[in-house]
Amino acid sequence: MPDLEAIAAFARAHSLVSMIDNTFASPVNFRPPERGFDLSLHSATKYLNGHDDIVAGVVLGATAWIDRIRKRLTHLGGALDPHAAFLLHRRLKTLGVRVRHQNASALHIARFLEQHPAVSRVHYPGLESHRHHARARGLFHGCSGTLSFELPGDDAAAARFMARLRLPVPAPSLGGVESLVMIPALISHVGLTAAERAEMGIGDGLVRLSIGLETTEDLLEDLDQALRGQEGSN
Ligand SMILES: *Cc1c(COP(=O)(O)O)cnc(C)c1O
């Protein structure tokens, strides 16, 4: 997790435009203008809409910047269709409650996974054990509903774990009402070699979870039964 305030300050000192992709945090957890960023981008497909049924994007910033961006966008033809705009507008009204629930549920699940004997490592900045936990506490109101963890073994073992899950849906998106699960080595980063993935810290047994709005206890129970099956299958 980079030192975001130092990046914004560096850009300002060198008269550069600073821009941040705030998709994973959402404005509930992180507000870039308050930390010195000129522009923030969102895939509104994720937390902002939160229901996995539209594809949309947002750019936020000072009017002078947005006016220039809007002109270019109009020329390029990027316009959201009215129904998608209607859905996104409605869903923004529940953004706060959705993300705060997802923050709390993900933290609970990260803690559960961290102490589980079938899990070798959990990546979630809300955990005290995360190397940038102190920085995350200073920057974010919450650490979002997305986390990842490592299972011992290869990508086939991770795929067997995923197949045993009953609640999270296998899909590469995030931030919606339904929990989603994805194995980066088999989906998002399948185009890289194992060595290239390893250099980025993406092991074959890495599993990404996007926590939705299900009852946390139901997700814990499901993860636990899938992990117990893992012990038998390895
Ligand atoms: C999904 C995603 C995108 C791409 O957005 P789409 O709405 O799927 O086109 C860009 N940045 C981040 C961080 C994302 O998670």
Side-chain angles (χ1 to χ4, degrees):
M1 188 186 301
D3 185 345
L4 298 176
E5 286 179 309
I7 292 170
F10 176 89
R12 186 131 303 180
H14 293 82
S15 306
L16 301 168
V17 180
S18 55
M19 202 159 64
I20 186 168
D21 187 327
N22 198 29
T23 298
F24 274 69
S26 91
V28 178
N29 289 327
F30 186 65
R31 288 195 288 271
E34 294 175 2
R35 306 297 181 136
F37 284 92
D38 295 312
L39 294 167
S40 44
L41 309 171
H42 287 271
S43 164
T45 309
K46 315 292 172 50
Y47 288 102
L48 295 189
N49 179 62
H51 291 63
D52 291 322
D53 55 6
I54 68 166
V55 175
V58 177
V59 54
L60 301 162
T63 310
W65 284 114
I66 299 299
D67 283 346
R68 290 172 62 180
I69 293 165
R70 184 184 287 121
K71 198 170 278 182
R72 175 67 60 89
L73 191 66
T74 304
H75 287 165
L76 292 175
L80 200 58
D81 77 78
H83 186 63
F86 162 75
L87 291 175
L88 178 57
H89 183 246
R90 291 190 98 180
R91 272 80 184 261
L92 285 175
K93 296 173 188 177
T94 56
L95 178 67
V97 282
R98 283 189 282 109
V99 171
R100 280 189 288 274
H101 176 86
Q102 285 161 320
N103 287 341
S105 199
L107 179 59
H108 208 91
I109 287 165
R111 289 200 170 123
F112 163 80
L113 291 170
E114 191 174 41
Q115 54 74 46
H116 202 288
V119 174
S120 38
R121 203 167 158 206
V122 182
H123 304 274
Y124 188 67
L127 289 176
E128 288 76 7
S129 60
H130 191 281
R131 69 191 168 110
H132 290 315
H133 176 67
R135 180 177 289 165
R137 281 187 70 113
L139 289 172
F140 304 132
H141 295 289
C143 289
S144 101
T146 310
L147 61 108
S148 66
F149 59 97
E150 292 171 33
L151 295 173
D154 57 8
D155 49 3
R160 284 197 298 277
F161 164 78
M162 193 170 85
R164 274 194 298 275
L165 287 171
R166 297 184 191 122
L167 288 179
V169 177
S173 193
L174 61 114
V177 291
E178 289 167 302
S179 292
L180 304 180
V181 59
M182 198 261 298
I183 298 169
L186 295 176
I187 308 283
S188 55
H189 294 74
V190 71
L192 303 177
T193 65
E196 284 167 336
R197 284 195 298 267
E199 208 167 300
M200 300 170 78
I202 298 171
D204 287 344
L206 187 72
V207 178
R208 186 178 86 183
L209 265 184
S210 165
I211 302 302
L213 297 187
E214 302 91 343
T215 301
T216 310
E217 283 66 31
D218 290 347
L219 288 169
L220 290 172
E221 204 170 289
D222 191 28
L223 287 163
D224 191 46
Q225 66 79 20
L227 287 168
R228 268 191 269 153
Q230 198 69 3
E231 282 156 18
S233 78
N234 276 339

